[in-house]
Amino acid sequence: MDAAEGERLVAAADRSSEAYSFAENYVAHPHVRLIRQAIEAGELGRISLIEADYLHGRSRTMSRADR
Protein backbone atom coordinates (compact mmCIF):
# COMPACT_ATOMS: atom_id res chain seq x y z
CA MET A 1 0.00 0.00 0.00
CA ASP A 2 1.35 3.41 -0.88
CA ALA A 3 0.58 6.76 0.78
CA ALA A 4 -2.22 7.65 -1.64
CA GLU A 5 -3.96 4.31 -1.05
CA GLY A 6 -3.59 4.80 2.70
CA GLU A 7 -5.14 8.27 2.50
CA ARG A 8 -8.09 6.90 0.46
CA LEU A 9 -8.55 4.13 3.02
CA VAL A 10 -8.60 6.59 5.92
CA ALA A 11 -11.07 8.84 4.06
CA ALA A 12 -13.36 5.88 3.34
CA ALA A 13 -13.21 4.78 6.99
CA ASP A 14 -14.06 8.34 8.08
CA ARG A 15 -17.12 8.35 5.81
CA SER A 16 -18.32 4.97 7.02
CA SER A 17 -20.41 4.20 10.07
CA GLU A 18 -18.54 0.91 10.41
CA ALA A 19 -15.40 0.26 12.46
CA TYR A 20 -12.15 -0.22 10.59
CA SER A 21 -9.31 -2.39 11.88
CA PHE A 22 -5.86 -2.88 10.37
CA ALA A 23 -3.94 -6.08 11.02
CA GLU A 24 -0.18 -5.97 10.47
CA ASN A 25 0.95 -8.09 7.59
CA TYR A 26 3.97 -10.30 8.30
CA VAL A 27 4.83 -11.40 4.75
CA ALA A 28 8.13 -9.49 4.81
CA HIS A 29 9.39 -10.95 8.09
CA PRO A 30 12.46 -13.19 7.66
CA HIS A 31 10.86 -16.32 9.13
CA VAL A 32 7.86 -16.01 6.80
CA ARG A 33 10.08 -15.53 3.75
CA LEU A 34 12.14 -18.55 4.79
CA ILE A 35 9.14 -20.87 5.00
CA ARG A 36 7.74 -19.50 1.72
CA GLN A 37 11.06 -20.22 -0.01
CA ALA A 38 11.09 -23.77 1.35
CA ILE A 39 7.52 -24.36 0.14
CA GLU A 40 8.21 -22.90 -3.31
CA ALA A 41 11.37 -25.02 -3.62
CA GLY A 42 9.36 -28.16 -2.84
CA GLU A 43 11.49 -28.88 0.23
CA LEU A 44 8.47 -29.68 2.40
CA GLY A 45 6.40 -31.81 0.05
CA ARG A 46 2.70 -31.20 -0.50
CA ILE A 47 1.35 -28.65 2.00
CA SER A 48 -2.29 -29.01 2.99
CA LEU A 49 -2.34 -26.77 6.07
CA ILE A 50 -0.06 -24.28 7.75
CA GLU A 51 -0.90 -23.05 11.21
CA ALA A 52 1.33 -20.70 13.17
CA ASP A 53 1.47 -18.40 16.14
CA TYR A 54 3.17 -15.03 16.11
CA LEU A 55 5.66 -14.67 18.93
CA HIS A 56 6.28 -10.97 19.36
CA GLY A 57 9.93 -10.06 19.06
CA ARG A 58 11.06 -13.45 17.73
CA SER A 59 12.49 -11.96 14.52
CA ARG A 60 14.89 -9.80 16.49
CA THR A 61 16.06 -12.64 18.74
CA MET A 62 16.65 -15.31 16.13
CA SER A 63 20.27 -16.29 15.79
CA ARG A 64 21.93 -16.12 12.38
CA ALA A 65 21.75 -19.93 12.21
CA ASP A 66 17.96 -19.75 12.54
CA ARG A 67 17.56 -17.33 9.61
Side-chain angles (χ1 to χ4, degrees):
M1 174 180 294
D2 62 24
E5 291 171 313
E7 289 171 6
R8 287 193 301 272
L9 180 62
V10 169
D14 287 344
R15 290 189 306 271
S16 175
S17 62
E18 300 296 322
Y20 175 75
S21 175
F22 175 79
E24 186 175 341
N25 191 336
Y26 299 105
V27 297
H29 284 228
H31 53 282
V32 175
R33 287 196 309 257
L34 181 65
I35 195 73
R36 177 177 288 165
Q37 290 170 354
I39 292 168
E40 290 173 352
E43 297 172 9
L44 304 176
R46 183 176 173 272
I47 305 294
S48 59
L49 173 69
I50 294 177
E51 188 171 326
D53 292 315
Y54 172 69
L55 303 175
H56 187 74
R58 177 67 177 137
S59 293
R60 289 185 296 257
T61 61
M62 288 173 56
S63 71
R64 289 241 185 259
D66 291 334
R67 293 181 188 191

